[in-house]
Amino acid sequence: PSGQGQPAPGRALGLPDGIAPGLPHRAVTARVSDNTVMRPPQLAAPVPALAVGTDVPWRRDATTGLVSVGRAAEDYTVSYAVPTLTPEQLSRAAGGSAAQQPYATSAFNDGDYLDVDPASRELVDSTTREVLSSPDVQRYGAADSAYAKAMAIQQYLRSPTFVYSLTLAPLTEEERQRGVEPDAVSHFLRTRRGYCTQFSSAMVMMARSQGIPARVVFGFLPGSLQPDGTRIVRAADAHAWPELFIDGAGWTRFEPTPGGRSGLPPAWATPPTAPTATAASRSSPRVMMRAARVRRRRLARAGSPAAAVESHWTT
């Protein structure tokens, strides 16, 4: 729809609306060939795109940052911005607030990014308050910062208590007794089982409940690396993840889906390494027994081999 037009040949666009103009980033160019996954007007392109090398007419939407084309483009290049954010930069950003305006310069309803589904609000609010009441939140910076809240929510959803599965859990006994079909987010938070759409939607609703603008983004994982250094990206690599709007950084990607499916979070969303225990504490029988009990409990809750691997890493 309405958007920024195609730049003059050889010229690149600046960062789109919703991204801080001074966002630290580096420009990278990717070459795409044999594109048969995305059909026009959509184009398989990293976001935010700065320039597209093709003879096909293209434009970048001012509000979403997505590239659209007039006809199919199978082979092309895309120059795009890769943020070089750090946890330290993000933790210094202002706290989440309904006063934040992701699209202050665009004709767009910012309130859409703060809406929480009324059907799930009660459970979303209570779950988020419980998560953010943990002292662990301060591991990520000031407890009232948008970044610390986002990290605490992300790590809660990535914990071994949640299971990645393409098959959703059946209704719980409580849900059956109510006799009303539960909303998707509440059902996921109760059963803790789902795939990327459920994980990303839950994080978006939990963030919005704290006044942090958030949205679900659909795209692709990096695909499979080939011997020649290229990657093959198939429709099966489709993925959903959340982006939260953080002052000074703009739309910032997080990864709540367990690593067995999505891999590691972005560098800025990777939790800090826990302090190394002293030799005396490592050798303490009491500490070793407690750690073994925690490990056994987490492994018992792991519902898949991928979740079991992740529980090993977290213990």
Side-chain angles (χ1 to χ4, degrees), residues 2-187:
S2 62
Q4 297 166 345
Q6 181 178 359
R11 298 284 299 276
L13 297 172
L15 294 173
D17 289 353
I19 295 179
L23 178 73
H25 70 277
R26 57 190 177 91
V28 177
T29 300
R31 178 174 296 279
V32 181
S33 59
D34 194 26
N35 171 39
T36 58
V37 174
M38 301 289 284
R39 304 298 177 92
Q42 297 173 322
L43 185 73
V47 174
L50 304 176
V52 180
T54 177
D55 58 356
V56 174
W58 65 277
R59 67 190 305 170
R60 188 185 70 190
D61 185 72
T63 55
T64 64
L66 296 176
V67 173
S68 58
V69 289
R71 62 178 187 271
E74 294 187 2
D75 300 277
Y76 51 94
T77 60
V78 181
S79 295
Y80 59 100
V82 178
T84 55
L85 298 170
T86 65
E88 291 73 25
Q89 289 173 313
L90 293 171
S91 62
R92 290 195 298 267
S97 167
Q100 294 185 99
Q101 295 184 333
Y103 293 121
T105 60
S106 301
F108 205 87
N109 184 4
D110 295 315
D112 289 344
Y113 293 103
L114 290 167
D115 284 344
V116 178
D117 182 9
S120 61
R121 176 174 281 282
E122 182 178 356
L123 184 55
V124 166
D125 286 348
S126 62
T127 302
T128 307
R129 284 195 300 269
E130 181 179 354
V131 171
L132 299 183
S133 66
S134 169
D136 287 346
V137 179
Q138 298 181 24
R139 293 179 59 203
Y140 312 116
D144 62 346
S145 71
Y147 176 72
K149 294 177 181 179
M151 286 297 298
I153 294 170
Q154 172 189 272
Q155 294 308 109
Y156 168 71
L157 295 171
R158 286 180 70 92
S159 70
T161 60
F162 283 83
V163 176
Y164 180 87
S165 173
L166 294 176
T167 303
L168 301 182
L171 297 182
T172 65
E173 183 61 32
E174 178 187 357
E175 290 170 340
R176 282 195 294 268
Q177 290 178 357
R178 290 183 180 179
V180 179
E181 189 74 17
D183 68 276
V185 173
S186 295
H187 181 67

Side-chain angles (χ1 to χ4, degrees), residues 169-230:
L171 297 182
T172 65
E173 183 61 32
E174 178 187 357
E175 290 170 340
R176 282 195 294 268
Q177 290 178 357
R178 290 183 180 179
V180 179
E181 189 74 17
D183 68 276
V185 173
S186 295
H187 181 67
F188 171 71
L189 290 175
R190 291 191 191 103
T191 61
R192 303 185 177 188
R193 177 175 169 178
Y195 46 95
C196 58
T197 303
Q198 283 74 37
F199 281 91
S200 56
S201 297
M203 182 165 181
V204 163
M205 291 297 135
M206 294 173 74
R208 289 181 179 182
S209 75
Q210 292 294 304
I212 305 172
R215 64 186 184 184
V216 175
V217 177
F218 293 92
F220 295 90
L221 292 168
S224 54
L225 183 63
Q226 304 302 299
D228 62 356
T230 62

